[in-house]
Amino acid sequence: MGDSRFQILAVEDAEPDVLLVREALERAGLNFELQVLDDEEKAIDFIETLDQNQSIVPPHLVLLDLNLPRMNGGQVLERLRQSTTCGDIPVVIQTSSDSPGDKALAGKLRATEYFRKPSRLNEFMRLGQIVRDLLGERNVTGQSAG
């Protein structure tokens, strides 16, 4: 039953952004379960748990905020890329930063996409289509493109 839903992990400390993410994914027609971790320590613990327990299904995709409370989200991405279980999972950096340094770090750590959080709702909703495109090879609910 749960196997037909995309497992998406959001590492995000701002509740309003979590609500926007959920709305964007729903508008994109994705059948998903969203797990939210609100700080980087929980995210790193989660990655380590996945590496130690192969019976836990890893997420299909990670949405990662760079501006987290205690450490930069880049450290979470670095740990994720070192993971034997999660190393190849698509990661969408979502951040309010437009810093060239943050973009360079995301590229160096093999982030799949860099999504700058816009101030307008309709622009934020583009995140759903980005996620849908990244998960495109897998079965999603809604109308098929055929």
Side-chain angles (χ1 to χ4, degrees):
M1 185 180 325
D3 294 343
S4 64
R5 301 177 87 185
F6 289 116
Q7 302 300 313
I8 298 175
L9 173 65
V11 183
E12 173 64 67
D13 64 321
E15 185 62 31
D17 287 345
V18 172
L19 295 172
L20 288 170
V21 164
R22 188 177 302 279
E23 178 72 16
L25 297 176
E26 287 172 357
R27 286 191 187 185
L30 290 166
N31 184 13
F32 66 95
E33 185 173 322
L34 184 65
Q35 179 177 1
V36 180
L37 300 175
D38 61 5
D39 72 35
E40 56 286 314
E41 290 174 2
K42 290 176 186 173
I44 288 175
D45 287 347
F46 180 73
I47 295 164
E48 291 174 356
T49 299
L50 287 171
D51 280 346
Q52 294 165 6
N53 185 346
Q54 300 299 311
S55 68
I56 301 172
V57 177
H60 294 104
L61 183 132
V62 175
L63 299 168
L64 176 61
D65 185 6
L66 277 186
N67 302 316
L68 294 165
R70 285 185 273 296
M71 60 175 109
N72 186 292
Q75 292 169 290
V76 174
L77 181 55
E78 185 173 18
R79 176 62 187 94
L80 186 75
R81 290 303 183 220
Q82 295 167 353
S83 166
T84 55
T85 307
C86 309
D88 293 326
I89 292 174
V91 176
V92 177
I93 296 294
Q94 53 178 36
T95 182
S96 54
S97 171
D98 206 14
S99 156
D102 285 344
K103 287 181 181 178
L105 176 66
K108 178 182 170 203
L109 295 173
R110 296 184 297 126
T112 313
E113 291 283 337
Y114 190 95
F115 180 76
R116 186 171 179 280
K117 296 178 190 175
S119 57
R120 296 185 173 193
L121 178 66
N122 65 330
E123 292 172 10
F124 200 104
M125 292 301 110
R126 289 184 308 118
L127 179 64
Q129 189 59 50
I130 290 168
V131 170
R132 186 180 175 111
D133 290 348
L134 289 173
L135 297 174
E137 303 85 53
R138 301 166 199 229
N139 187 25
V140 292
T141 61
Q143 300 295 334
S144 67

